[in-house]
Every structure is written in C-alpha cells, then in structure tokens.
C-alpha cells in the first residue's frame, strides 16, 4: 500500500504500524518525533498505530548540539 512519509510516496506492507515503519527505516532506537495524519504520537503508541492506504506520516529525528 502507499503512504506519504515526510512528503514522499512510499510503499509499505499492508497492516504495518508506525513501529514497523521505524524498524524498516532503521530508526527504531533513535530519538524521533512522529506524527500520523497530523496527530503527534507517543513512543507507546507506535506498536498500535496501524498505517492505512494514504496515511500521512512525518518522522523528525531529534538532534542535540550547539
């Protein structure tokens, strides 16, 4: 199925969750802020947030520095 990830079209397996997507992107252990269809998610919601055809996902990697 097709989703929008950070404004770009991506194909992902049907029934995938945000957690699955982050694993696919090798970002499962990185500090990120994630939105699904405009709603900010907590890390605890990643495993239960199922992606649907046309879902809009924003993933922002957090970085520290000066």
């Amino acid at each position: 199925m097709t989703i929008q990830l950070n404004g770009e079209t991506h194909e992902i397996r049907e029934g995938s969750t945000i957690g699955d997507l982050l694993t696919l992107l090798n970002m499962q252990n990185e500090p990120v802020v994630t939105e699904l269809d405009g709603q900010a998610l907590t890390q605890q919601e990643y495993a239960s947030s199922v992606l649907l055809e046309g879902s809009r996902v924003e993933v922002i990697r957090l970085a520290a520095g000066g």
Side-chain angles (χ1 to χ4, degrees), residues 12-29:
I12 192 163
R13 181 176 43 87
E14 205 166 312
S16 294
T17 64
I18 290 290
D20 296 331
L21 177 62
L22 292 175
T23 298
L24 184 68
L25 298 171
N26 286 329
M27 298 178 78
Q28 70 273 18
N29 295 318

Side-chain angles (χ1 to χ4, degrees), residues 43-60:
Q43 189 173 8
Q44 292 79 12
E45 295 173 300
Y46 292 172
S48 63
S49 297
V50 178
L51 299 167
L52 303 172
E53 179 71 31
S55 288
R56 294 179 338 270
V57 180
E58 296 289 328
V59 178
I60 301 166

